[in-house]
Amino acid sequence: MSAITWNRAERAIREDLITQRGLLLRLLAQLEELASDDSTRTDAAKVPNLELGAQRDVLTTHLREVDDALRRLRNGTYGRCAGCGEEIPTDRLQAKPAADRCVPCASKVA
């Protein structure tokens, strides 16, 4: 891939990550609002705290992955597999911008 093409792809990925980060922060804020507002709703309308906690955990994990990807972009290490050190294919990064491993290494971890 040429440097110009990679720069365009990197810019698009960075914008996507920033957008994802903003969305995740808004969703986490809404979950916190739901959790704190729980006492004002009827029992039938209450969302179990366990479910809110699980949703918060998923969102927090994804936010951490997005923040890590943005950090790798700043450090110049974005696009290198954390497992084998090889370049992660651009198609994978475009499909999953927060990916820190190539598909073969990610399947070994899972």
Side-chain angles (χ1 to χ4, degrees):
M1 176 179 292
S2 74
I4 293 172
T5 304
W6 170 244
N7 286 339
R8 282 189 198 132
E10 183 180 350
R11 195 172 326 123
I13 289 168
R14 182 186 319 273
E15 289 172 8
D16 185 37
L17 286 166
I18 290 168
T19 299
Q20 283 185 38
R21 187 175 195 285
L23 176 60
L24 289 165
L25 289 171
R26 284 191 300 277
L27 289 171
L28 281 165
Q30 289 173 354
L31 275 179
E32 292 303 321
E33 191 176 310
L34 276 174
S36 66
D37 194 34
D38 198 48
S39 63
T40 63
R41 291 179 280 139
T42 65
D43 285 339
K46 288 184 181 180
V47 178
N49 282 339
L50 186 61
E51 185 178 327
L52 287 176
Q55 290 174 352
R56 185 181 309 112
D57 290 347
V58 168
L59 292 173
T60 301
T61 297
H62 191 55
L63 179 61
R64 188 174 22 256
E65 291 170 350
V66 167
D67 283 343
D68 289 346
L70 288 167
R71 191 177 321 32
R72 290 192 305 276
L73 276 166
R74 283 192 306 274
N75 295 340
T77 58
Y78 184 81
R80 286 267 163 225
C81 177
C84 66
E86 294 296 318
E87 197 172 298
I88 300 171
T90 304
D91 290 346
R92 171 152 171 79
L93 293 172
Q94 288 172 332
K96 187 176 183 205
D100 69 342
R101 296 178 186 278
C102 62
V103 172
C105 287
S107 64
K108 291 176 191 174
V109 173

